[in-house]
Amino acid sequence: MLIGYARVSTEDQKLDLQRDALREAGCERIFEEKVSAARRGPMPARQELLDYGRPGDVAVVFKLDRLGRSLRDLVDVVNLLGKRGVALRSLHESIDTTSPAGKLTFHIFAALAEFEAAVIRDRTRAGLQAARLRGMKLGRP
């Protein structure tokens, strides 16, 4: 059975794109939530997905970064799924861990996703620092 997981980081964001892609991929059940991966807190829909998965199921996500808070967290979640006999398929990265090549590809893409997130964070911090040095007031008035 294909089971989907969709997550957006803020209440303002919409799940429509992910939901439509997961349905088109054939997911019979989709777990959805609006929670930031940056905040340390529960991810109830992700936990439901982990609890729901049965041997032979495939958990489907739109992108790898939707499933995990960090590379370590993503790898842990995929390992938990694997222990339950549940594979992972990422639509955006075209990864399917039902094969050894898919498992290797997952680990490579997970590392690249973590690297990309770190680069974006560094760029954002540098931009904020540059704005402060120019005397801009940041944040709420």
Side-chain angles (χ1 to χ4, degrees), residues 64-100:
L64 288 176
D65 67 349
R66 301 294 82 203
L67 186 60
R69 295 180 188 274
S70 65
L71 173 60
R72 178 79 259 145
D73 185 48
L74 182 62
V75 170
D76 289 345
V77 169
V78 173
N79 287 336
L80 283 171
L81 288 168
K83 286 178 184 174
R84 298 187 71 127
V86 178
L88 173 70
R89 182 178 302 154
S90 173
L91 302 176
H92 187 267
E93 292 89 0
S94 299
I95 294 173
D96 188 340
T97 64
T98 58
S99 72

Side-chain angles (χ1 to χ4, degrees), residues 112-139:
L112 291 172
E114 179 73 10
F115 174 73
E116 179 186 26
V119 168
I120 290 169
R121 278 192 304 273
D122 288 346
R123 216 175 313 151
T124 300
R125 283 187 199 121
L128 291 171
Q129 181 64 25
R132 283 187 196 102
L133 290 173
R134 288 190 310 273
M136 295 184 80
K137 303 255 186 205
L138 303 172

Side-chain angles (χ1 to χ4, degrees), residues 3-22 30-47 49 60-71 73-74 77 93 113-114 117 121:
I3 50 177
Y5 176 74
R7 180 184 61 80
V8 291
S9 298
T10 67
E11 288 295 324
D12 296 340
Q13 294 175 322
K14 304 280 186 247
L15 288 160
D16 297 339
L17 174 68
Q18 293 178 57
R19 187 182 300 125
D20 292 346
L22 294 171
I30 299 173
F31 298 88
E32 303 176 353
E33 65 191 338
K34 295 184 178 188
V35 62
S36 173
R39 293 201 172 108
R40 293 283 172 216
M43 295 174 80
R46 184 176 78 171
Q47 188 58 52
L49 170 82
V60 183
V61 294
F62 182 67
K63 287 179 71 176
L64 288 176
D65 67 349
R66 301 294 82 203
L67 186 60
R69 295 180 188 274
S70 65
L71 173 60
D73 185 48
L74 182 62
V77 169
E93 292 89 0
E114 179 73 10
R121 278 192 304 273

